[in-house]
Amino acid sequence: MSTDCNGNNTTTQGIQAGVSRRNIIKLTGAGAAAIGLSSAAGAGPAFAAPTVSRKDLEPGDTSNGADNFYTSNQVTVKKFSFKNKYEMKVVGNLFVPNNLDRGATHPALVVGHPMGAVKEQSANLYATKMAEQGYVTLSFDLSFWGESAGKPGNSVSPDIYAEDFSAAVDYLRAQAFVAKERVGAIGICGSGSFVISAAKIDPRIKAIATVSMYDMGAANRDGLNKSVTLEQRKAFIATAAAQRDVEFAGGAMEYTGGTPDELTAESTAVDREFYDFYRTARGYHPNTTTHPALATNNKFMNFHPFTDLDLVSPRPLLFIAGDQAHSREFSEEAYRLATGPKELFWVPGAGHVDLYDRTGLIPFDKLTDFFRTQL
């Protein structure tokens, strides 16, 4: 039976945030490519993000408190690095409340960024806001992305992504002012699936929240709304395999999916939603193109984060999603499969990317209450 994080049966809805409700976007397999999903059409050209500063970009939609680059004078931020179990350097930021009593121990949170993004996109915002609530927080670049190690860059390895979460827990538990048994995690977009994958085999992660979660395995195998056929899936796998031959022979890397670098008349609503964050001053960062490497993107086909989800129980799971999000199916499926304690929390009027940075919509109070109760 469905239970919330306090043992009750529940699916909840947040307070209306004063925005108009949107129609839930219905996608085809082609539209799903906007976020790095498989496309039977093949890889397309190699991509490069705009080599410009944020001030040279269009501002993007900054309504509802969009503040991706938020900083706080209540929090001290320190960049650091640590090694995962594959001896790869992972680069992160540690956020510590200025008034923290370092002579005592405190709960801590690991925060993971969206797939194709870097820690400066969404993850730092969540880490800062939660540090303001008294938590020690850590954001980091997944391996192969941003400042973290891994060659070639933009490679896909969901197992290593999950390992990075556990390595971040290693780092936090080693800090004298962190309570070892009170470490939780937040995964945004694709990191929602990576943190669940990590938590299944790492019981040190005591409470898990996902926001605008993507199951990157199901999204690549099936597309949104199960729009990718078996033949399309096989075609993409064949394209990725052929690219391995090209690169082994010294040919150039190719990339697939991610956010489009330009909008056209044919751009989908999801293309435009992601473009408004990643390609404008609202969320642009020079450390990512968002485009996964084609030859490795098919690794997601073997990624099943919701299999054996009962391994997480009795640790609590909180799934947060906008009720207008094109990705809501993944939070719904994870909630269905989780054995509890669990809660599915809807943010009225919010789409998928809205919960990356719109502080007027992101339910930080809900996250604070969840971790205060569960850690």
Side-chain angles (χ1 to χ4, degrees):
M1 182 174 290
S2 299
T3 56
D4 70 9
C5 298
N6 295 307
N8 303 310
N9 301 331
T10 186
T11 298
T12 56
Q13 178 169 291
I15 298 172
Q16 179 65 33
V19 298
S20 61
R21 293 173 64 87
R22 303 173 184 172
N23 292 328
I24 297 172
I25 301 167
K26 297 185 184 298
L27 300 175
T28 64
I35 30 149
L37 311 186
S38 305
S39 170
F47 299 100
T51 55
V52 295
S53 67
R54 288 179 56 234
K55 67 181 180 180
D56 296 323
L57 297 169
E58 57 187 298
D61 178 2
T62 57
S63 63
N64 291 298
D67 199 1
N68 179 68
F69 299 101
Y70 174 78
T71 59
S72 174
N73 59 13
Q74 302 174 48
V75 176
T76 298
V77 186
K78 175 185 175 183
K79 183 179 285 189
F80 64 97
S81 65
F82 53 92
K83 294 286 186 71
N84 66 23
K85 280 301 180 185
Y86 299 102
E87 293 295 315
M88 299 168 67
K89 183 175 79 170
V90 179
V91 177
N93 291 325
L94 185 68
F95 300 77
V96 180
N98 292 341
N99 61 359
L100 190 83
D101 177 4
R102 291 179 180 247
T105 59
H106 307 273
L109 301 171
V110 178
V111 184
H113 59 72
M115 175 62 200
V118 289
K119 61 186 178 300
E120 292 81 7
Q121 293 166 316
S122 194
N124 278 358
L125 168 62
Y126 275 73
T128 302
K129 288 288 190 179
M130 297 307 291
E132 287 182 335
Q133 300 303 313
Y135 296 93
V136 178
T137 60
L138 182 162
S139 67
F140 65 96
D141 288 328
L142 291 169
S143 294
F144 306 102
W145 296 89
E147 297 178 282
S148 289
K151 297 294 182 183
N154 296 30
S155 292
V156 170
S157 180
D159 283 349
I160 293 179
Y161 297 164
E163 161 59 27
D164 291 338
F165 274 93
S166 288
V169 173
D170 296 342
Y171 180 89
L172 283 175
R173 284 168 59 94
Q175 307 310 303
F177 49 84
V178 168
K180 291 179 184 289
E181 301 305 317
R182 300 179 69 193
V183 177
I186 300 171
I188 305 161
C189 187
S191 276
S193 59
F194 308 146
V195 71
I196 286 176
S197 180
K200 288 194 302 183
I201 56 173
D202 191 342
R204 302 172 306 164
I205 304 174
K206 300 300 183 182
I208 304 97
T210 70
V211 180
S212 290
M213 179 172 57
Y214 255 90
D215 174 350
M216 294 304 301
N220 277 269
R221 287 186 297 274
D222 304 321
L224 298 177
N225 300 317
K226 305 249 189 297
S227 57
V228 173
T229 67
L230 177 61
E231 290 308 311
Q232 287 176 316
R233 187 189 313 169
K234 288 181 176 179
F236 179 82
I237 291 171
T239 301
Q243 181 61 25
R244 294 179 66 106
D245 290 332
V246 171
E247 293 175 16
F248 187 82
M253 284 187 63
E254 292 284 342
Y255 301 87
T256 185
T259 300
D261 296 317
E262 297 179 352
L263 294 178
T264 69
E266 288 73 41
S267 296
T268 67
V270 175
D271 288 336
R272 297 175 188 280
E273 182 182 4
F274 281 94
Y275 183 96
D276 191 77
F277 181 79
Y278 287 110
R279 302 293 183 238
T280 72
R282 174 185 163 196
Y284 168 77
H285 197 277
N287 282 0
T288 182
T289 66
T290 78
H291 306 298
L294 170 63
T296 56
N297 197 65
N298 61 357
K299 301 296 185 184
F300 280 135
M301 299 291 182
N302 282 337
F303 181 48
H304 297 268
F306 300 165
T307 300
D308 295 327
L309 197 51
D310 54 349
L311 285 170
V312 176
S313 182
R315 289 169 291 153
L317 285 160
L318 171 63
F319 306 105
I320 295 174
D323 69 355
Q324 305 301 303
H326 63 263
S327 58
R328 57 179 287 162
E329 64 186 273
F330 303 116
S331 294
E332 290 174 323
E333 180 66 359
Y335 177 76
R336 184 183 72 83
L337 292 172
T339 55
K342 61 184 180 180
E343 183 177 356
L344 178 57
F345 184 86
W346 296 114
V347 180
H352 177 87
V353 177
D354 287 336
L355 299 187
Y356 284 12
D357 68 334
R358 298 197 192 281
T359 59
L361 292 173
I362 298 169
F364 287 115
D365 288 348
K366 179 64 180 179
L367 285 166
T368 299
D369 290 345
F370 169 71
F371 287 114
R372 187 168 290 151
T373 303
Q374 303 300 333
L375 283 183

